[in-house]
Structure formats: structure tokens, C-alpha cells
Amino acid sequence: HKIHLFENAGYAGRKMEIVDDDVPSLWAHGFQDRVASAKALNGTWVGYEYPGYRGRQYVFEKGEYRHWNEWDANQPLIQSVRRVRDQQWHQRGAFENS
């Protein structure tokens, strides 16, 4: 999983790279709440309007999002992000060993 978040539309301004991690607060990692463009390089991600994975949710599948209108937001506001993981590949997955 890898995603790049940008402060301004068109992949401009400050950039934050997140790799294989969930981030409950972008502020805690030195980034602000303004995310106006993004590039989801690997995996699927969910961006949340507020810290702690609260508020409106925006799904980022692999691809480029030049402007916040492309993920159907009404403002460029994301304050936490989380990976979407397939539970069957994890220890506490959906299938039991037989």
C-alpha cells in the first residue's frame, strides 16, 4: 500500500507519502488537513474528513486524483487515512484452518 497526498490541486504544494500504514491524524505526522490531490500508487485507501477515521469517507483505488472534486468531496479536507485490507490474507482472517 502506498499513497501520496498533496496540499494543492494538480499534485502541487507540500506532499506526504504514506506506505503500509494507517494514519489516524495527518496533523500528528506534520501535515495539515488540506488535501487537494492524491495519487494512490498501490492498494486501496479510505480518506476521512476528521481525525480518528471519522466523518465523510472517500475511497482511493489505484489511480490519480488531480482535484478533490474527483473523489466527490465538497472541500479539500482529509485528516486521516486507512488502508483497505483483504482479511483472508491476515492471521485473524475470514477463513479457519482445517
Side-chain angles (χ1 to χ4, degrees):
H1 285 84
K2 184 187 230 179
I3 190 168
H4 292 167
L5 306 176
F6 298 88
E7 179 180 33
N8 299 321
Y11 319 117
R14 294 183 56 207
K15 171 184 159 185
M16 179 178 187
E17 178 180 79
I18 304 169
V19 180
D20 290 332
D21 201 12
D22 297 341
V23 181
S25 171
L26 297 182
W27 281 97
H29 288 268
F31 202 72
Q32 72 287 335
D33 61 357
R34 180 183 171 87
V35 176
S37 56
K39 291 182 181 180
L41 304 173
N42 290 320
T44 302
W45 296 81
V46 179
Y48 297 84
E49 197 172 27
Y50 301 117
Y53 316 116
R54 296 178 298 116
R56 292 179 184 263
Q57 301 175 9
Y58 308 108
V59 175
F60 297 93
E61 294 183 313
K62 186 175 180 181
E64 299 186 355
Y65 304 85
R66 180 172 284 286
H67 192 274
W68 45 273
N69 286 339
E70 293 180 17
W71 63 79
D72 294 329
N74 55 12
Q75 59 184 335
L77 179 64
I78 291 179
Q79 296 187 53
S80 54
V81 294
R82 182 161 34 192
R83 298 163 291 164
V84 174
R85 296 180 285 178
D86 186 350
Q87 288 292 313
Q88 69 175 325
W89 299 110
H90 294 276
Q91 192 102 23
R92 41 183 197 93
F95 302 104
E96 293 182 20
N97 292 334
S98 41

